[in-house]
Amino acid sequence: VDIVEKTDSWLIKADVPGVALDNLELNIEHGTLQISGHRSEEKEEEDVKTHYRRMERTFGSFKRQFTLPENVEESKLTANLEHGVLT
């Protein structure tokens, strides 16, 4: 996650590769932004047996929370998901 303070706004970028928009949820409550989601494990074909030598990509649920500055106007928050980056 990258958090950038600009002159008149804040920008949060979160890498969520392989997570579909349907599997992401954004909530704001009491000045806290919560990003949660689920990355599904890839299924292998029945006739192909795979032996992982190393597996670094994680699967399952995740959740991150960020306390927003007091001057943030929650009604002006926007979100965009493009190429695995939530902005």
Side-chain angles (χ1 to χ4, degrees):
V1 174
D2 297 335
I3 301 173
V4 179
E5 181 180 5
K6 296 185 171 190
T7 305
D8 61 349
S9 64
W10 289 82
L11 175 67
I12 298 175
K13 288 185 175 182
D15 289 341
V16 290
V19 178
L21 184 58
D22 293 345
N23 292 334
L24 280 174
E25 187 173 330
L26 302 170
N27 292 308
I28 300 171
E29 191 172 316
H30 307 294
T32 301
L33 169 64
Q34 179 176 294
I35 301 170
S36 57
H38 182 83
R39 180 179 293 118
S40 300
E41 186 171 2
E42 296 173 1
K43 302 292 182 195
E44 51 187 74
E45 296 179 27
E46 290 182 23
D47 62 338
V48 177
K49 187 159 183 138
T50 303
H51 298 284
Y52 286 101
R53 300 285 185 202
R54 182 179 189 133
M55 188 173 204
E56 294 185 352
R57 294 183 298 153
T58 58
F59 301 97
S61 298
F62 60 89
K63 179 174 23 175
R64 294 290 307 268
Q65 296 186 123
F66 305 94
T67 302
L68 300 174
E70 291 181 18
N71 63 344
V72 169
E73 296 179 46
E74 294 179 8
S75 63
K76 292 186 176 182
L77 294 178
T78 61
N80 183 44
L81 178 63
E82 189 172 343
H83 304 295
V85 178
L86 177 65
T87 305

